[in-house]
Amino acid sequence: MKKKFKLDEVDCANCAAKMEDAIKKIDGVEDASVNFMTQKMTLEADDARFDEILDEVCKVIAKVEPDCEVIR
């Protein structure tokens, strides 16, 4: 399943790149992209575990950028 999400408070392109790299390492994630300019994230992950994976993605994002929030 592939979904797009709005992000709130991605402060810099470097943070977006760190988020993207960390998200891609999560088990079940097929692909991910985080765009600093548009403040959007595209996540492609296992359909059966999508919600579980998204929760993990939110935790990873919070570690990289504590002020950033994924708008579901």
Side-chain angles (χ1 to χ4, degrees):
M1 176 184 297
K2 186 175 187 177
K3 282 191 169 184
K4 293 183 180 183
F5 298 92
K6 178 89 172 114
L7 298 175
D8 188 36
E9 297 292 324
V10 179
D11 292 335
C12 67
N14 188 44
C15 292
K18 286 180 183 179
M19 287 178 200
E20 188 173 303
D21 289 342
I23 292 167
K24 287 181 178 180
K25 293 177 183 174
I26 296 171
D27 184 45
V29 172
E30 296 166 19
D31 195 21
S33 67
V34 178
N35 189 311
F36 164 68
M37 295 299 290
T38 62
Q39 301 278 301
K40 292 184 181 175
M41 170 183 71
T42 303
L43 178 64
E44 189 171 351
D46 182 18
D47 289 356
R49 298 178 39 227
F50 195 86
D51 290 335
E52 175 189 333
I53 292 167
L54 183 57
D55 289 341
E56 189 66 29
V57 166
C58 292
K59 289 176 189 174
V60 166
I61 286 174
K63 284 181 186 175
V64 174
E65 185 66 58
D67 295 335
C68 185
E69 183 180 342
V70 177
I71 301 168
R72 298 183 187 201

